[in-house]
Amino acid sequence: MQSPALSTRSRRLAAAADDGELAPRSVAAAAAAGLGSNAVMWASLYSVATTGGGLPAGPFGVVGLVEGVSYLLVVGLAGAALYGKVSTGSGLPFLSEARGERPGGLLGAAEGLSCLSVAAGAAVLLLLQANQGCVPNALPIADYSDRVAVCR
């Protein structure tokens, strides 16, 4: 059961989003996160394509954390874009022409680049498998080295 305060807050946020009050800030944040995450993912894909492994973990694992979160954001943004295309026939709802929300097309750029990045990730994975006969390991999340050949 939802608490009355949570449902009231949720209703206020939904009303503010419908009025367009939150849109410029949330769209700018989503665009910045999407574009930044795509840059990290492309650096990681280059590393995977050339070395068979992602970016080094870095101090205290921070670089690996940023890499993992970037992959999640890019795949999430591409998935949201695909869902929007299938369900409404247009891009992400943040770019609704009817509401007049076009923040310089940055979210559209992040959306398109995310779809391209997911396709590039699949291509790098397939090329790595075809050329070296291995796939990169997803440690520490999953260790599947006993089932498939893992790049070293």
Side-chain angles (χ1 to χ4, degrees), residues 31-42 45 73-75 77-78 81 105-121:
L35 292 172
S37 294
N38 273 291
V40 172
M41 185 170 172
W42 280 93
L45 287 176
L73 285 172
V74 167
V75 170
L77 192 57
L106 291 178
L107 186 59
E111 175 185 358
L113 193 56
S114 292
C115 292
L116 182 64
S117 296
V118 169

Side-chain angles (χ1 to χ4, degrees), residues 48-133:
V48 169
T50 57
T51 67
L55 298 173
F60 304 108
V62 172
V63 176
L65 174 69
V66 170
E67 179 184 18
V69 170
S70 293
Y71 270 86
L72 292 174
L73 285 172
V74 167
V75 170
L77 192 57
L82 180 64
Y83 177 77
K85 295 276 186 202
V86 169
S87 63
T88 66
S90 65
L92 292 174
F94 299 125
L95 296 176
S96 172
E97 291 287 338
R99 291 174 26 184
E101 298 170 4
R102 297 229 15 133
L106 291 178
L107 186 59
E111 175 185 358
L113 193 56
S114 292
C115 292
L116 182 64
S117 296
V118 169
V124 166
L125 186 64
L126 290 173
L127 286 172
L128 197 61
Q129 176 64 35
N131 293 338
Q132 298 181 17

Side-chain angles (χ1 to χ4, degrees), residues 2-18 22:
Q2 261 187 343
S3 69
L6 183 59
S7 62
T8 303
R9 181 172 182 257
S10 298
R11 282 193 300 257
R12 278 188 303 204
L13 286 173
D18 286 342
L22 298 177

Side-chain angles (χ1 to χ4, degrees), residues 128-151:
L128 197 61
Q129 176 64 35
N131 293 338
Q132 298 181 17
C134 61
V135 295
N137 207 351
L139 288 175
I141 296 172
D143 182 19
Y144 41 81
S145 58
D146 57 335
R147 287 179 235 123
V148 296
V150 174
C151 300

